[in-house]
Amino acid sequence: MIKANIYVTLKEGVLDPQGDAVKKSLHVLGNRDVEEVRIGKFIEVWLQSSDEEKARQELEEMSDKLLANPVIEDFRVEIVEVG
Amino acid sequence: MKELTYREMGLIDEEYAKIKEIMGREPNYLELGMFSVMWSEHCGYKNSRPLLKMFPTDGPQVIQGPGENAGVVDIGDGQALVFKIESHNHPSAIEPYQGAATGVGGIVRDIFTMGARPIALLDSLRFGELDDDRVKELFSGVVAGIAGYGNCLGIPTVAGEVYFNSSYRGNPLVNAMCVGLVKTEEIALAVAGEIGSPIMIVGAKTGRDGIHGATFASEELSEKSSEKRPSVQVGDPFMEKLLLEACLELIREDLISGMQDLGAAGLTSSIAETASKKGRGVEVDVLKVPRREKGMTPYEVMLSESQERMLIVPRKGKEERIKEIFDKWGLDAATIGRVTGDGMFKIYEGKQLVGEVPVAALTEGCPVYIRVGQEPDYYREYMDFDPFSLPQTEPREALLKLLASPNIASKKWVYSQYDYQVMTNTSVLPGDGDAAVLRIKGTSKGVALTTDCNSRFVYLDPYKGGMLAVCEAARNLACVGARPLALTNCLNFGNPEKPQIYWQMQGTIEGMSAAARALNTPVVSGNVSLYNETAEGAVYPTPVVGMVGLLQDISSRCDMIFRDEGDIIVLLGRFRDELGGSEYLYRCYGIEKGKVPAVDLDEEKNLIETVLSLNNEGFIKSCHDISDGGLAVTLAESAIKGEIGFSVDIDFKGKRLDGILFSEAPGRAVVTAQRENLLALQEKAAYMGMQVQVLGTVGGPDMVFRNSGQEVLRISLEEASLIWNRAIESYMK
Amino acid sequence: MRWGVVVFPGSNCDADCYHVIKNVMGQETDYIWHQDSDLSRFDAIILPGGFSYGDYLRTGAIARFSPVMSSVIDFAEKGGLVIGICNGFQILLEAGLLPGAMLRNKSLKFICDSVYLKVKRGDTPFTNRMREGQVIKIPIAHGEGNYYCDQETLLRLKQEKRIVFSYCSQQGVESTAFNPNGSVENIAGIINEKGNVLGMMPHPERCSESVLGGTDGRYIFDSMLEWLKEMGEK
């Protein structure tokens, strides 16, 4: 079994209204040093597989195809558990 | 999970003794849990049932009164409306977004369970004052939750109300109403089928969420309530949409003999309710219930309140077709048991019998408490308060304060978050009329929908306040051109074990019953929400009335908007000056006291008939009833919506100006008419025995009030409009 | 003429579109279940609004993998008329039939309202019954209508005159004050290079009958019908 963490984040330069709203709230709460907040998605995937290299390839593919939208988002695949 | 004692489950000693007597032994933990949820106020109505008997429930228009998932009224041409209102107060107090969202989900399931396609949602909401940060959080969370769920389902949220009063600070009220349309021959009822019929469960998998939600709803909220957070369920509107479409397909193909949604008390309640209708028994195997979590006990499976699940009893030989339809919609259906003839509710875990209770003991066996009410001390004291002992507030200042009151100001901040046009039926939009109007496709008919309750009036005088809630709803329907048909209600009160609260309930229900009888709008469904209390006290008694009305011809719908320069403004009804319990007293003096304005049910009925008849004759171009904020606010709202001013001249006849302008006394409406139609309007009204007063004309950039020629109040439309439109938004920035 | 209205799980304006085309305009209309893939009998396809697959992950992201979508892509490539409304627009973006992506509304709130649109092209299959510069009033209802594309794409859209509708005032002023959701250049609707695929956030089917308070939506459906008839005659 392989477990992967996939981080989907907005591309640099794409406006993040949600992040901006959270930043403002943090300022109100007193966290005035907060410079920027960007909100993304965190996805956990479990694969019935033992070949880490193959799994990584598959995960990259599925991220590019469905989990992230390359027009506005970047993604990063991280394999955390093998065995 | 730590085992609870019967007291922690909300049962009292006498009730536990009664359970032992019924069972002839000590109940096991599962059985005890089942009793405790079924005998909670939320499921068993043990405190309210005797009072609810006062409601009139019959009429030629009524197809189904209380006792089913929702009420049904005939609208002709083989069509009927199915509707009900329900509370989700406690869950919303803990987690506003999910609490409100799942409240919408629950009421929608009640409607399609009856075979009806849901066509509209309404929401009646109450919060503390908006200057409080926690209140803002609750308010925006609840509105977002309703929007998130209802919008996704594609059911328009077309009307409702929002009030702010400090009595709701820690215990907001979130009441959701759903209206469905059904062919009369397709109305489905919750009944167990023939002996041997399988019982299926479909929809979401069962998890540990919401266990003891019904019990939670039957207790006062306390500091410890947020520890009960696991009780709050998470809604999945996409799943609900699939269920809705699939279940309606089952009914269209006539594949089922019974259907029941899983709401409060989960499988326990839905199975017991279904079986009890025909005195049937049931056997279920908890291992066959699809689960989301590992290691669930029979107790947890039977009491889970996971959302978006339905119970289905198929017609003989139709199981396969049912599975095909669910497959098409990507839903899993599982057969979990069968109907038996012995009246027993048997729960198995595989082969092992783990619980056995008589069905009737859970339903009809629920104890009923007839309590004794006691008049609270405040009642007479507040009634004796004379508003005219106060100095008058300068009228311009008073009107501006009222227009800025979140109770009166535009609710656009709220309804613009709701999809109110999906299904393309909404023909009087939110904010444009006293009620929403929807056309019925394929006919020339329309239906009008509203929810109403002025809880300050109910608090000050439960009997009159109860009458007024019903009257206002009926009046609002008439003002958009609809004949009121029937009502549903959500009775939100404090702890009924307190005699003063019980007294409020008694008076309110008596008043509502009297008005419902007089106006021929029987009660066909409803919900009771008690224990709405925090350490700060009980909420104002809030019997929300949801009413439906019928327009034979949709083209005769009417809104509140002032139209054209030169149109004549006419008051239907008398000049009145009672200020007790008014928003004026509250906003200008911080006082919530005084004698509630007199209610004359004959007068109210006559107003409704007159408005309907003037509208049918085509004499009126707009109509808006007088309620919160009084005559001045009524005129201002119509002007703001129409983006055109007005000038009225009122002969106060020596009465106090503030009384005439701001009294919320009922039985009155403001209409506009083309000058050519004025005479005919006056004649018709006179024939109906209705007093009319010509107030002035529409036009100009200002709102101008005169007393026998003397100007007493002038506000530019622009200023008034800005204040009224921006008030709520400015709190929420 | 035969029109098809695609139904995804979670579509909720499918019946509204069907009603307008079938009952108001009197055209042959069928629903197309998302698992069907034969579109040969249709002249025009509508991808309706709603919350396909609950809008989970991203709006339109899952729907674009429904079997019907590869057929819609073929249909569009062959020159068939495709209009995506609201969620349908979002699906067209995810499917790559139109460029760009949708972000959450700038206010972070769902917005239901009526807005004014400036018609930027009067010569497309979807707008031939209107003139360039005309202002129409149409309802919107969305939480993610904040259209985004990179500068390069925007430049191309402008050069190729593919912005069909933009948000504006009643008088036709296009400025941020009249932009309900924060979309780039006030974009409310765009068209593909060939001009046969339109995506728009506002809902023309909600204003195609006077009982609903407006009929400007009819211009769009009538334009499509007009174009189909002309094609048929050729």
Side-chain angles (χ1 to χ4, degrees), chain A residues 66-82:
Chain A
L66 175 67
L67 301 180
N69 178 352
V71 178
I72 43 169
E73 292 168 328
D74 291 324
F75 64 87
R76 181 162 58 86
V77 173
E78 193 181 282
I79 291 184
V80 287
E81 276 171 36
V82 185

Side-chain angles (χ1 to χ4, degrees), chain B residues 151-152 154 236-238 241-242 328-329 412-413 416-424 426-427 439 441 557, chain C residues 9-13 16 19 33 51-54 56 109-113 139 141 205-206 209-212:
Chain B
N151 296 352
C152 183
D236 178 357
F238 176 55
K241 169 75 174 164
L242 301 179
K328 173 185 155 192
W329 290 99
K412 186 166 180 180
W413 186 88
S416 66
Q417 297 185 53
Y418 302 151
D419 189 343
Y420 49 79
Q421 284 178 299
V422 64
M423 297 186 93
T424 58
T426 319
S427 48
R439 57 100 176 254
K441 285 192 183 107
R557 67 193 180 280
Chain C
S11 292
N12 64 30
C13 302
D16 302 352
H19 168 75
W33 185 239
F51 289 71
S52 56
Y53 294 93
Y56 295 150
K109 291 187 167 58
F110 189 96
I111 304 168
C112 184
D113 207 344
E205 79 281 10
R206 296 187 179 189
E209 295 166 88
S210 57
V211 69
L212 303 177

Side-chain angles (χ1 to χ4, degrees), chain B residues 42 158 273 289 321 384 600 661 698 700:
Chain B
H42 194 81
V158 296
E273 297 289 344
V289 177
R321 177 65 192 138
D384 289 341
D600 179 334
L661 291 181
V698 173

Side-chain angles (χ1 to χ4, degrees), chain B residues 5 45 64 143 225 303 368 394 409 413 453 479 489 511 513 521 539-540 544-545 561 585 653 687 698:
Chain B
T5 65
Y45 297 100
Q64 176 66 54
V143 170
S225 296
L303 268 66
V368 173
E394 199 278 312
W413 186 88
C453 177
C479 286
N489 57 52
S513 301
T521 50
V539 300
Y540 274 1
V544 175
V545 172
I561 303 171
L585 284 192
K653 296 202 172 61
Y687 173 77
V698 173

Side-chain angles (χ1 to χ4, degrees), chain B residues 445-464:
Chain B
K445 288 182 301 198
V447 294
L449 313 170
T450 184
T451 67
D452 291 287
C453 177
N454 181 330
S455 65
R456 194 184 292 134
F457 282 164
V458 185
Y459 173 71
L460 293 173
D461 190 332
Y463 182 74
K464 275 202 248 172

Side-chain angles (χ1 to χ4, degrees), chain C residues 89 93 96-101 147-149 153 156-157 162 190-191:
Chain C
F89 185 11
L93 294 173
L97 278 168
L98 293 171
Y147 178 79
Y148 170 85
C149 63
T153 311
R156 234 181 61 218
L157 286 177
R162 284 165 55 192
I190 55 170
I191 205 164

